[in-house]
């Protein structure tokens, strides 16, 4: 059973207008967020993990002290899909603006 279709560059660019904290292209979408403390950054990872487990779609997360670098892409589709955008919106819901 095929997964969701990947989005075109134009579709990604249009979608990113509604996700102002995110950037990216067909290889993935990315967000960087700096939290007040290391503990806050770890708590944010836990909140993202809860969303990711619920959706069964897992972003790449890099933690550098109190800064999170988040990347989302559907590897099986070979690029960004609507499912990635949905996960990005859900992640935005657990992170500060």
């Amino acid at each position: 059973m095929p997964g969701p279709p990947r989005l075109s560059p134009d579709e990604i660019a249009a979608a990113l207008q509604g996700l102002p904290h995110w950037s990216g292209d067909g290889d993935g979408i990315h967000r960087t967020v700096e939290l007040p403390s290391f503990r806050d950054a770890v708590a944010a990872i836990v909140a993202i993990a809860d969303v990711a487990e619920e959706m069964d779609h897992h972003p790449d997360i890099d933690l550098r002290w109190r800064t999170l670098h988040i990347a989302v892409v559907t590897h099986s589709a070979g690029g960004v899909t609507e499912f990635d955008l949905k996960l990005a919106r859900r992640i935005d819901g657990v992170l500060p603006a």
Side-chain angles (χ1 to χ4, degrees), residues 21-96:
H21 301 290
W22 293 82
S23 62
D25 55 27
D27 293 327
I29 57 174
H30 316 274
R31 179 175 178 185
T32 298
V33 61
E34 186 172 314
L35 285 299
S37 70
F38 181 76
R39 184 173 293 278
D40 290 331
V42 171
I45 291 172
V46 171
I48 293 168
D50 289 342
V51 168
E53 287 295 307
E54 178 186 321
M55 292 182 66
D56 193 25
H57 191 37
H58 305 90
D60 294 328
I61 302 173
D62 179 33
L63 170 59
R64 303 290 175 143
W65 183 37
R66 61 183 190 166
T67 302
L68 298 180
H69 301 278
I70 306 160
V72 179
V73 65
T74 301
H75 296 287
S76 62
V80 176
T81 68
E82 284 291 338
F83 200 46
D84 298 314
L85 301 174
K86 181 177 179 182
L87 178 58
R89 286 190 281 282
R90 295 284 308 274
I91 290 171
D92 280 353
V94 299
L95 293 176

